[in-house]
Amino acid sequence: MSPNRVHVLYSTRRYFSIPELSSESVWMKDRQRVEEILQSMSKDGSNTLQVISDFDLTLTRFSYNGKRCPTCHNILEGSNAISNEARQTLDDLLHTYYPIEIDISRPVEEKLPLMVEWWTKAHELLVQQRIKKDELAEAVRQSEARLREGYECFFDCLHEHAIPLLIFSAGIGDILEEVIRQANVFHPNVKVISNYMDFDESGILRAFKGELIHIYNKREGALLNTGHFEELRSRPNVLLMGDSLGDLDMADGVQDMKNILKIGFLNDKLKERKQSYMDSYDVVLVGDASLEVPNAVIRFLTGNK
Ligand code: TMP
Ligand code: MG
């Protein structure tokens, strides 16, 4: 048998293992490479796996019924916890800075100070609003935030197999936790790195804690959390999920990494961004995808075919 024929048989057999990867809305620059990573990770077993995922527009949907779904910041923006004037200002900020965030024609170095500017202005405004801690749960309940379809299986399966899930978000930790708590999936294997609110003794927002995490400094955020990655030293295989190119740095703190499979959700401006996403993520999911593909990968790696 010629080596080419062997290769074709091998590929067909592998794709039979994860048929979800053959869908038209799954783009891969190098299918062979994806197979090799999956093979290697599968051989090592699920006790060597850790999952690192972004939150906004990765674990949550980008749109629903033609309407944009809210990010953590947008959840507050749409709530009664802030004034109409502040809502308008946050919306203006979003319209100014979001196009910059996703503009691939600008280098990251140029975008970085502008992202710091966006987050700083937004957080200052939220602090001025004197938001109450006990208003957050209601803001989330009233919001249109939606975890992607298949989220129950994603969170429950990782929990069942004791696979650590790090949610690494430039959103707001308190809001993000509330979203997953209300969805009943905030299991003990979930750890969150994000921007957390600091409330005074009467429960009023007075600042944000620690170093600011924005969309393009997740590398620094990862390196500040060495303790977490040290604990997971025995798990050198990583499944990374993100929707921004800045999310690719979330695994920079992982120690002695062996394999990484990067799954990217391309939500917006598909034509312009297709190439850069295909060059950076191993698997690119388009069309406001569900979590079907990550779930199939996890099933494959945990031996639950
Ligand atoms: P993520 O790291 O969980 O994706 O969260 C970051 C997202 O938050 C990013 O896509 C931009 C978004 N964002 C808003 O929607 N409104 C804001 O005011 C700010 C500062 C960020
Ligand atoms: Mg995101």
Side-chain angles (χ1 to χ4, degrees):
M1 201 185 282
S2 75
N4 271 351
R5 174 101 180 104
V6 172
H7 171 70
V8 169
L9 281 178
Y10 170 77
S11 304
T12 313
R13 200 167 60 238
R14 293 305 315 139
Y15 275 102
F16 190 63
S17 301
I18 305 189
E20 288 82 355
L21 285 177
S22 310
S23 155
E24 268 180 24
S25 55
V26 179
W27 297 347
M28 281 177 268
K29 188 174 163 186
D30 189 346
R31 289 175 177 263
Q32 179 69 28
R33 175 93 194 101
V34 170
E35 281 185 26
E36 282 163 11
I37 297 171
L38 284 168
Q39 272 295 1
S40 173
M41 285 165 103
S42 163
K43 214 157 39 171
D44 290 348
S46 61
N47 59 352
T48 66
L49 179 66
Q50 56 174 302
V51 179
I52 303 178
S53 180
D54 168 55
F55 187 72
D56 287 316
L57 315 181
T58 294
L59 290 178
T60 58
R61 287 184 68 126
F62 179 71
S63 64
Y64 185 70
N65 284 343
K67 229 178 109 198
R68 282 284 296 269
C69 292
T71 60
C72 292
H73 288 87
N74 300 152
I75 288 175
L76 277 180
E77 198 179 316
S79 77
N80 293 329
I82 65 168
S83 68
N84 286 339
E85 204 186 353
R87 183 169 304 125
Q88 186 56 52
T89 312
L90 281 170
D91 200 42
D92 292 345
L93 289 174
L94 180 73
H95 286 101
T96 307
Y97 291 102
Y98 175 70
I100 301 173
E101 177 192 330
I102 64 164
D103 184 352
I104 49 156
S105 70
R106 293 192 191 215
V108 170
E109 306 80 65
E110 190 187 311
K111 296 203 264 190
L112 210 138
L114 297 168
M115 293 299 105
V116 175
E117 207 173 275
W118 181 14
W119 260 256
T120 307
K121 283 183 185 168
H123 287 188
E124 275 171 10
L125 192 79
L126 292 176
V127 170
Q128 281 165 17
Q129 294 297 299
R130 297 177 58 77
I131 293 168
K132 298 189 196 76
K133 190 176 169 55
D134 54 20
E135 287 174 327
L136 302 186
E138 189 55 19
V140 170
R141 255 191 300 277
Q142 298 294 328
S143 77
E144 312 255 311
R146 271 174 186 274
L147 290 163
R148 285 189 194 262
E149 259 153 70
Y151 74 87
E152 301 95 332
C153 173
F154 176 78
F155 282 92
D156 294 348
C157 181
L158 292 178
H159 179 226
E160 186 190 325
H161 291 275
I163 298 168
L165 166 62
L166 171 64
I167 301 180
F168 198 151
S169 170
I172 301 172
D174 310 72
I175 300 281
L176 171 177
E177 284 193 6
E178 197 53 45
V179 172
I180 55 176
R181 193 175 295 120
Q182 289 185 17
N184 294 319
V185 289
F186 195 3
H187 301 313
N189 64 318
V190 178
K191 171 168 165 93
V192 179
I193 299 178
S194 188
N195 299 303
Y196 275 90
M197 293 172 147
D198 185 14
F199 296 96
D200 67 16
E201 34 322 308
S202 15
I204 291 173
L205 178 65
R206 62 171 167 206
F208 278 81
K209 294 179 189 166
E211 296 294 320
L212 174 74
I213 301 173
H214 58 78
I215 202 77
Y216 289 118
N217 74 345
K218 290 196 174 180
R219 180 182 155 73
E220 287 75 6
L223 297 178
L224 278 173
N225 283 276
T226 43
H228 169 77
F229 293 109
E230 177 72 45
E231 274 176 37
L232 299 185
R233 205 178 204 129
S234 61
R235 294 177 176 270
N237 290 321
V238 180
L239 173 63
L240 178 143
M241 294 158 55
D243 77 288
S244 152
L245 295 178
D247 295 329
L248 290 158
D249 300 338
M250 295 186 300
D252 283 12
V254 175
Q255 304 193 359
D256 307 324
M257 181 145 52
K258 184 174 174 199
N259 294 294
I260 179 162
L261 183 74
K262 292 171 268 180
I263 300 183
F265 289 83
L266 179 49
N267 293 315
D268 203 5
K269 302 262 185 294
L270 268 54
K271 244 213 243 126
E272 296 91 315
R273 301 199 294 165
K274 177 177 179 176
Q275 198 54 50
S276 58
Y277 272 61
M278 298 265 286
D279 289 343
S280 320
Y281 281 102
D282 302 302
V283 178
V284 179
L285 306 177
V286 291
D288 219 355
S290 71
L291 294 173
E292 184 188 27
V293 167
N295 286 346
V297 168
I298 293 164
R299 265 199 311 276
F300 177 68
L301 296 180
T302 53
N304 283 355
K305 308 288 160 26

